[in-house]
Amino acid sequence: MTGKFYVLDGIYACGKDTITTFLCNYLRDKGRRVVSIRDPGTTELGEAVRNIVLTPIERNPLAEAFLFLGARVQLLDFVGININNDVDVVCTRYTPSTYAYQLSKVDEQSEQ
């Protein structure tokens, strides 16, 4: 058996963290091993990228998107190791957020 990868995505303050806690507890109650992660974050590179993007500096939207994607590659290694070791991974934010936030800015810039 392998672990599963769950993604909880949504707008700011919609309850992702609350649902993440509920889901993790539910899975643990069912006897599953669970780890909760965030994107960007979790890995050393992911946390560094998170700190960069939370810093209010002007940056090209495409550069920001590439920062997120670089952190995600590192995160996928972490996810793969865990699910292959029969650990369920619950992730707060993932690809849908990148499309909604970073890549939409890239589209807007290309239209100008």
Side-chain angles (χ1 to χ4, degrees), residues 5 8 17 20 35-43 46-48 50-51 54 71-72 75 78-79 89-94:
F5 183 41
L8 300 168
D17 291 335
T20 296
V35 63
S36 176
I37 65 175
R38 64 185 184 174
D39 180 33
T42 307
T43 66
E47 292 299 329
R50 185 178 198 84
N51 289 332
L54 291 175
R72 182 154 311 129
L75 186 68
F78 179 86
V79 169
V89 179
V90 179
C91 183
T92 304
R93 298 217 178 207
Y94 199 62

Side-chain angles (χ1 to χ4, degrees), residues 57-67 102 105-106 109:
I57 59 171
E58 189 172 328
R59 59 185 149 258
N60 180 290
L62 188 57
E64 183 173 283
F66 280 125
L67 285 170
Q102 283 70 45
K105 292 178 193 172
V106 171
Q109 185 183 40

Side-chain angles (χ1 to χ4, degrees), residues 6 19-20 24 32 34 47 51 53 64 78 97 99 102:
Y6 300 90
I19 296 169
T20 296
C24 288
R32 301 293 303 158
V34 180
E47 292 299 329
N51 289 332
V53 299
E64 183 173 283
F78 179 86
S97 286
Y99 286 118
Q102 283 70 45

Side-chain angles (χ1 to χ4, degrees), residues 98-110:
T98 302
Y99 286 118
Y101 294 104
Q102 283 70 45
L103 296 179
S104 66
K105 292 178 193 172
V106 171
D107 286 343
E108 288 172 12
Q109 185 183 40
S110 66

